Amino acid sequence: MDNLFDELMESIFIESGLSLAKIEYIEESFGISTSLYIAHKPNSDYFIYLHLPEKSLPYISNNIQIKLSYLLKNDMASMELVSGEPIAISPSFEKNATLIIFTNQEETSSINVNKQAIAIEEDPYFFKKQVLVASPKDLDVVSSNFEEYRENYTSYLQRLISDPQIFIEFMSSSNHRSTNQVSEYSFAAKLYEKLPFLALVVENSTSEDLQKNIDDALSESQREECEALLKLNEDNLSDWLAEIVKEENDD
């Protein structure tokens, strides 16, 4: 289970056409021993990936990213090439590098992990940063599906995120965790949000085809609600939003 996200990210990097290298990353003072990955495509951005424990989040913006910057600039020769061409660090590396952190949300944790993740992403120094907080349910989703789709995981994600029926179920679920499909969709959405290189392929369709697909997928009450929403203007949109917020708070 400890290497599950590493294997997942290796597959996604390689399937996305990026060269990939890795090295062991150790932080003795924080009790961290994990794999550090760097992915790159010529004339494109760099992506650095680490799977770190929740306890290390307070140290990412300072200690950890400082060490990462030094290591990647000065020790690339020690990195093991996983796929593609050898990766060279350009002078504009830090301006074009995104640090991607996966961390597990512990069920018994007393800290606000999402709040810490936002603080890390807003930190302006060194790298651009994305933090994916994986819940225990996300771990179940990956462990249940990764082996089956290992050889082409990005195609699986594309089919999942583009499925209108699952999207409707996801949007109508109060906690986004009501079924296995909703859980899968939720994790796929996190990946598309946090991985800048993961592109969503949109199929061409006419407006008539799109409207028919929408009408077929929605119930009569949902279609009526959509029609009412489309009729909103600047004068009554704020009232409608306020009513939605009030209903959610009442729940």
Side-chain angles (χ1 to χ4, degrees):
M1 186 69 76
D2 290 343
N3 297 324
L4 187 60
F5 283 130
D6 291 353
E7 294 174 5
L8 172 72
M9 286 299 294
E10 276 194 24
S11 292
I12 293 176
F13 279 131
I14 294 170
E15 291 170 19
S16 299
L18 299 168
S19 293
L20 183 65
K22 70 177 182 178
I23 193 173
E24 185 179 10
Y25 179 80
I26 298 174
E27 283 279 5
E28 293 183 355
S29 56
F30 306 138
I32 297 172
S33 178
T34 187
S35 292
L36 165 65
Y37 290 84
I38 179 169
H40 179 59
K41 184 181 292 187
N43 303 315
S44 184
D45 290 346
Y46 296 87
F47 301 100
I48 304 116
Y49 160 75
L50 277 172
H51 181 202
L52 295 175
E54 180 186 285
K55 65 182 180 181
S56 68
L57 294 183
Y59 309 104
I60 289 175
S61 295
N62 295 309
N63 309 60
I64 291 178
Q65 71 170 348
I66 291 171
K67 181 175 179 178
L68 286 176
S69 179
Y70 179 85
L71 188 155
L72 292 168
K73 287 180 179 179
N74 297 281
D75 205 17
M76 282 298 298
S78 300
M79 299 197 76
E80 171 193 351
L81 186 63
V82 177
S83 178
E85 300 296 324
I87 299 174
I89 300 299
S90 70
S92 60
F93 166 67
E94 286 183 356
K95 292 182 179 179
N96 298 295
T98 299
L99 174 60
I100 300 166
I101 302 292
F102 278 25
T103 190
N104 297 351
Q105 185 174 14
E106 304 293 341
E107 292 181 331
T108 58
S109 175
S110 60
I111 66 172
N112 190 325
V113 181
N114 290 317
K115 184 176 181 180
Q116 288 194 341
I118 292 172
I120 292 167
E121 292 179 344
E122 292 179 344
D123 173 67
Y125 300 105
F126 293 93
F127 313 107
K128 291 171 281 187
K129 290 172 277 291
Q130 295 286 351
V131 181
L132 189 152
V133 179
S135 68
K137 192 65 175 179
D138 292 328
L139 286 171
D140 292 341
V141 166
V142 178
S143 61
S144 299
N145 295 283
F146 177 62
E147 287 299 327
E148 181 179 355
Y149 300 104
R150 176 191 286 270
E151 299 302 321
N152 210 340
Y153 199 79
T154 52
S155 293
Y156 156 72
L157 293 172
Q158 175 71 42
R159 291 194 305 272
L160 180 64
I161 207 73
S162 303
D163 190 309
Q165 294 289 348
I166 303 177
F167 171 74
I168 291 171
E169 184 180 352
F170 170 77
M171 292 300 294
S172 62
S173 173
S174 60
N175 59 9
H176 293 180
R177 292 292 191 275
S178 60
T179 67
N180 289 336
Q181 282 193 327
V182 166
S183 298
E184 290 176 34
Y185 194 98
S186 177
F187 182 68
K190 287 183 183 181
L191 291 177
Y192 274 97
E193 177 188 2
K194 299 300 182 180
L195 306 184
F197 59 88
L198 196 58
L200 181 62
V201 180
V202 179
E203 297 181 0
N204 292 326
S205 63
T206 65
S207 58
E208 291 81 5
D209 291 338
L210 177 59
Q211 186 60 55
K212 184 178 184 303
N213 289 337
I214 293 173
D215 290 342
D216 291 343
L218 298 177
S219 66
E220 182 177 352
S221 61
Q222 288 173 324
R223 287 195 295 270
E224 291 175 354
E225 186 174 345
C226 287
E227 291 174 1
L229 178 59
L230 291 173
K231 293 178 182 179
L232 294 175
N233 56 38
E234 293 182 358
D235 295 329
N236 53 23
L237 179 58
S238 58
D239 294 336
W240 179 82
L241 290 173
E243 183 64 25
I244 292 296
V245 172
K246 181 177 182 299
E247 290 178 0
E248 291 181 350
N249 290 336
D250 290 341
D251 293 339

